[in-house]
Amino acid sequence: MSVFIKLKSGLLSVPIALFTMSFILNSCKQTQPVRKNPNIIIIYADDLGYGDLSCYGAKAFSTPNIDSLANHGIRFTDAHCSASTCTPSRFALLTGSYAFRNNAAILPGDAPLIINPKKETIASMLKKAGYATGVIGKWHLGLGNGKPDWNNSISPGPLEIGFDYSFLIPATPDRVPTVFVENHHVVNLDKQDPIAINYDKRIGNDHIGLEHPEMLKMQADSQHSGTIVDGISRIGFMKGGHKAYWKDEDFNTVLNEKAKAFISENKKQPFFLYYALPNIHVPRVANAKFAGLSGLGPRGDEILEMDWMVGELMGTLKNLGIEDNTLVIFSSDNGPILDDGYADKAVQLLGNHKPAGMYKGGKYSAYEGGTRVPTITFWPNRIKPAESDALFSQVDFYASLASLVGNKEDIAPGTAPDSEDMLKVMIGKSKTGRKQLVEEAFTMSLRSGDWKYIAPFKGETPSWLKNKAVPTGLQASPQLYNLLDDPTESHNLAEQYPNNLEKLSKSLRDIMKQKENLANK
């Protein structure tokens, strides 16, 4: 028996069995379920300011790959990291808890893990939802239970807080140890040349910057004048592990290859990749193919290198056919800094470039330039191109991603205590952001709508911070600004609006007194 199919040229006789099989196959193809949960990638830049990208107003150079994310996604104008320094922001992002609840501060390179393995993280939450989880790049959240033994298995670390795979710069590029750690072990370690590090006194016979400045690619301040590795003196002292030393110029290729491999190996299942770029943290030593391209010196060159890294990653998603099912979040861990210990001419070659855009301050600062950072969400066919002025924080990633994968109701009491569900904001379904937002620096600040309160600073400014030439906001008296009228925080209104001052001061005190929400007790 046959059926007749009407064509423009006439009727075509087709055996019914063949027609039926074709109909079934086509029906199956059309109704094949699309995977429910998307891949999630957080690309986390380091020390990148609000005005450091061409999609955020930079004129000195172009960042076409990141611009493409912004042009086809949502570009946020009032999104914040939770602190103006790296370790606290990273802690808050992964745990959904403000860093002050755990007394998280900038860590030395031999610090223990500061995230309690018994507590949930974004990685462990997504792992429960069926995700493969990986972290690649700068860590700076500590490793081990005490002083890490770099010559043996190093744990606990990322694998104990929800990640299936890790490839790390253990602390920062300017701190020892200057080696990569993959999962629990130092990469390329020669056991006949064991590693030892010390942050209090010199160890070993390797040259140090204070004694041999002629060996350096760039001069450094006294804080950064410890052991010389790859022609750069670092914070701290190190001996051994010479075959495991990294080359700063190779960060872009080494880290990108690891990231692309993780994506390729997990393309058939939902995956979460926390890709923490070292760019543009000091020491700024871009790969040779980017050196000199920006006209702004090594700092600008590393921004161009970072943009290339993002482009390569996005190209991998396209080539694997998974870009449409991947949510990409791009942001930075704190605001910009120019002179941060090395003589790389970041100040001298700045020209008219404004790393923080119109905003005051930068890294280490309580002003807006410290935490207001470039933030972009990109998800083809799910996120429509837009600009959003919604107020939200990276501490909200936890609850928002839990909502995305259907795990919001499973968040246990005490987990992610400061995280709010901003999923609709992140994917462009709403522009209603937070009502209040904490900003951490060496003092605390509170945003409430257009108002911002900066608490008085009662401590002593660290000596190394006094040399940074950045407005810190560390004042003995309270500060109050209306950012709608005064986005540059130039006019302190504390005396004119005492009621507003007291209201915001009380709100901040109440938030900090919520002991039941401590995430690591």
Side-chain angles (χ1 to χ4, degrees), residues 286-326:
N287 187 277
K289 63 183 178 182
F290 301 100
L293 287 186
S294 70
L296 270 65
R299 185 177 185 275
D301 297 342
E302 280 217 356
I303 293 176
L304 299 185
E305 179 182 78
M306 175 190 65
D307 184 70
W308 174 85
M309 294 172 75
V310 172
E312 288 288 296
L313 197 73
M314 297 307 299
T316 297
L317 297 178
K318 288 182 180 179
N319 293 337
L320 294 174
I322 58 175
E323 183 188 43
D324 286 355
N325 198 41
T326 303

Side-chain angles (χ1 to χ4, degrees), residues 50-220:
Y50 185 89
D52 273 329
L53 303 171
S54 48
C55 55
Y56 277 86
K59 304 296 183 184
F61 47 74
S62 177
T63 49
N65 295 298
I66 300 173
D67 288 2
S68 180
L69 297 181
N71 293 337
H72 296 90
I74 301 176
R75 186 180 74 90
F76 290 92
T77 61
D78 202 3
H80 295 252
C81 54
S82 70
S84 63
T85 51
C86 45
T87 296
S89 285
R90 293 162 196 270
F91 177 90
L93 184 153
L94 289 176
T95 65
S97 172
Y98 287 130
F100 74 81
R101 300 198 189 283
N102 196 57
N103 298 317
I106 304 171
L107 296 179
D110 59 353
L113 179 67
I114 62 170
I115 298 177
N116 188 334
K118 295 180 181 180
K119 298 297 182 179
E120 293 281 356
T121 64
I122 285 181
S124 60
M125 179 271 293
L126 290 174
K127 188 172 182 177
K128 289 180 179 179
Y131 278 71
T133 56
V135 52
I136 294 169
K138 177 185 165 182
W139 183 237
H140 209 189
L141 289 165
L143 293 169
N145 285 319
K147 300 287 185 181
D149 181 354
W150 303 102
N151 305 294
N152 293 296
S153 181
I154 306 166
S155 66
L159 272 59
E160 285 68 46
I161 59 170
F163 288 100
D164 297 314
Y165 174 76
S166 67
F167 187 90
L168 310 176
I169 295 171
T172 60
D174 61 339
R175 284 176 170 82
V176 298
T178 51
V179 296
F180 295 118
V181 174
E182 188 168 28
N183 295 328
H184 287 143
H185 295 89
V186 171
V187 177
N188 296 327
L189 177 64
D190 179 1
K191 289 295 185 72
Q192 301 304 311
D193 185 28
I195 295 173
I197 67 171
N198 195 298
Y199 276 84
D200 299 319
K201 62 182 180 180
R202 182 179 178 178
I203 57 174
N205 298 316
D206 287 5
H207 297 304
I208 64 172
L210 285 174
E211 296 178 354
H212 293 277
E214 77 283 355
M215 298 178 61
L216 302 177
K217 295 177 181 177
M218 62 183 80
Q219 298 302 304

Side-chain angles (χ1 to χ4, degrees), residues 46 323 352:
D46 198 321
E323 183 188 43
N352 294 322

Side-chain angles (χ1 to χ4, degrees), residues 249-285:
E249 296 91 340
D250 294 340
F251 280 163
N252 65 327
T253 53
V254 171
L255 297 179
N256 251 27
E257 288 306 311
K258 292 294 181 180
K260 291 192 286 187
F262 176 82
I263 291 170
S264 298
E265 291 167 5
N266 294 285
K267 63 183 179 181
K268 293 184 179 180
Q269 66 182 106
F271 64 80
F272 166 59
L273 174 61
Y274 170 48
Y275 192 18
L277 306 178
N279 305 59
I280 49 177
H281 195 284
V282 295
R284 301 166 186 136
V285 188

Side-chain angles (χ1 to χ4, degrees), residues 9-22:
S9 57
L11 296 177
L12 176 64
S13 175
V14 180
I16 191 168
L18 180 60
F19 174 82
T20 302
M21 181 58 69
S22 175

